[in-house]
Amino acid sequence: MQTNRISFVIPCYGSEKTIEKVIDGIESTVGDKNPFEIICVNDCSPDGVYSVLEKLAKKDKNLKVVNLARNFGQHNALMAGFRQVAGDVVVCLDDDGQTDPKDCYKLIDALDESADIVYAKYPAKKENPFRLFGSWTATKMGQWLCSIPKGVVLNSYYACKRFVVDEMIRYENAYPYLAGLQVRATRKLKNVDIEHHERTSGRSGYTLKKLLNLWLNGFTAFSVKPLRFATFTGGFTALIGFLYAVYIFIKKIMNPAIQMGYSSLMCVLLFIGGMLMLMLGLIGEYIGRIYICLNKAPQYVIRNTVNIDEK
């Protein structure tokens, strides 16, 4: 794809020892090929990554820094960065050095009439089993909830056309789910094989709690399929209960001496009660998030910026 200005957006968390190498990799790769900017969003990292970014930004006006007031999560941090971009093409990558900036043109060159977003695909992903499971679950959930085409693998390293980002930032609610926002803008998605590198420092910022919150965002923000599943499950459970009642009634008529089973009764009650509580919890999650959005909870709060015109 013929492109002019490139905007790189990097959410930063726990990357004090790696972020400078990532920024240097971008600058050495792009060089004089295209005008570019690098937007780093410090998601209230507990280490000294903001000090590193601030120091680098004072020397390089192409580096823009957004410093969030507290930790909002990767997707919210990316939304904060997206609202600062000025490029024709936007490239998102991680801050840990596992996604090599030197491969960015493989993604950018694959943007054409058939692809508005190009994701990296790793033939051998260098992650622990927990993160691999999280990535696999996110992809499958995206395919089910957001109708992402089968065979397309979602990743945090991707390039997209500017109009996709412009559409995404129209979403102002507190729970952004980027896969849903991207598919809402376009279905022209593609993968390009790129090498995934070993982590040189630190560890992934995604804990089980953060992964669960991300999955809940996907479940409740962009699809009613979970509610339809709850309706189907409730109807199926009611049907099984009705058939079982008919079976017990006929069996009792055929053999009046049969004792009614306490254990089987308790199993049925616990199963139905558990399903009811699960479905009520799901509905409550939808209602709670609607309430929070009506109260205009922010996607993020910016403490300060560097090299960004506040106007």
Side-chain angles (χ1 to χ4, degrees):
M1 175 183 173
Q2 184 67 31
T3 182
N4 294 317
R5 189 178 180 87
I6 304 173
S7 295
F8 293 87
V9 181
I10 309 173
C12 300
Y13 187 86
S15 54
E16 178 183 6
K17 297 180 181 179
T18 59
I19 188 60
E20 186 171 0
K21 182 180 177 181
V22 173
I23 292 172
D24 289 342
I26 293 173
E27 293 179 339
S28 63
T29 299
V30 181
D32 297 328
K33 296 178 184 178
N34 295 95
F36 70 95
E37 62 180 359
I38 304 171
I39 302 169
C40 290
V41 183
N42 173 38
D43 194 17
C44 201
S45 179
D47 61 0
V49 66
Y50 176 70
S51 298
V52 174
L53 293 172
E54 189 177 34
K55 180 183 70 175
L56 295 173
K58 289 180 179 178
K59 300 177 183 178
D60 184 2
K61 296 301 180 183
N62 287 327
L63 176 59
K64 302 177 180 181
V65 181
V66 178
N67 187 31
L68 301 186
R70 65 172 177 83
N71 180 253
F72 285 88
Q74 182 185 29
H75 287 219
N76 298 63
L78 282 168
M79 292 293 283
F82 288 157
R83 289 192 169 90
Q84 308 298 334
V85 300
D88 306 301
V89 170
V90 179
V91 178
C92 295
L93 69 160
D94 294 330
D95 58 342
D96 53 17
Q98 290 189 273
T99 51
D100 196 334
K102 294 179 181 178
D103 294 321
C104 68
Y105 276 106
K106 292 182 181 179
L107 302 174
I108 295 170
D109 292 341
L111 291 170
D112 53 27
E113 292 299 323
S114 65
D116 297 321
I117 309 175
V118 179
Y119 299 92
K121 184 178 181 180
Y122 309 121
K125 196 169 185 180
K126 308 297 178 63
E127 289 282 9
N128 60 58
F130 174 73
R131 288 292 290 116
L132 290 174
F133 173 73
S135 299
W136 178 84
T137 303
T139 298
K140 293 299 181 183
M141 189 177 71
Q143 290 174 351
W144 182 56
L145 294 177
C146 306
S147 301
I148 292 173
K150 289 185 178 180
V152 175
V153 178
L154 304 183
N155 268 310
S156 56
Y157 192 13
Y158 59 88
C160 65
K161 298 177 182 177
R162 175 61 184 271
F163 85 88
V164 176
V165 170
D166 288 341
E167 176 62 28
M168 291 170 67
I169 62 177
R170 292 178 56 223
Y171 184 83
E172 298 181 349
N173 290 330
Y175 301 102
Y177 181 61
L178 296 190
L181 291 171
Q182 289 161 0
V183 174
R184 192 167 71 175
T186 180
R187 297 295 174 89
K188 293 183 177 181
L189 315 176
K190 186 190 292 186
N191 279 126
V192 170
D193 286 344
I194 285 178
E195 182 182 359
H196 197 242
H197 301 273
E198 293 280 359
R199 185 182 293 272
T200 58
S201 177
R203 60 181 182 178
S204 173
Y206 268 110
T207 61
L208 178 60
K209 179 181 178 181
K210 289 184 177 181
L211 281 175
L212 289 174
N213 285 335
L214 177 60
W215 295 338
L216 275 175
N217 287 353
F219 270 112
T220 58
F222 292 94
S223 178
V224 295
K225 286 184 179 179
L227 292 177
R228 290 174 181 169
F229 177 75
T231 302
F232 171 79
T233 304
F236 180 75
T237 304
L239 177 63
I240 294 297
F242 174 76
L243 294 176
Y244 184 70
V246 172
Y247 167 75
I248 293 295
F249 180 73
I250 294 174
K251 192 173 182 181
K252 183 66 174 177
I253 292 176
M254 299 294 292
N255 187 4
I258 293 178
Q259 295 290 328
M260 291 289 99
Y262 173 78
S263 298
S264 60
L265 180 62
M266 289 304 298
C267 286
V268 171
L269 287 175
L270 289 173
F271 175 73
I272 295 176
M275 291 301 299
L276 286 173
M277 294 302 295
L278 176 63
M279 301 313 167
L280 283 174
L282 179 62
I283 295 171
E285 189 70 33
Y286 271 92
I287 294 173
R289 288 172 180 250
I290 292 171
Y291 176 75
I292 291 173
C293 290
L294 287 175
N295 280 326
K296 299 189 182 299
Q299 280 182 0
Y300 53 83
V301 176
I302 298 176
R303 184 182 299 278
N304 64 287
T305 61
V306 182
N307 289 343
I308 294 177
D309 185 357
E310 296 297 337
K311 295 180 181 179

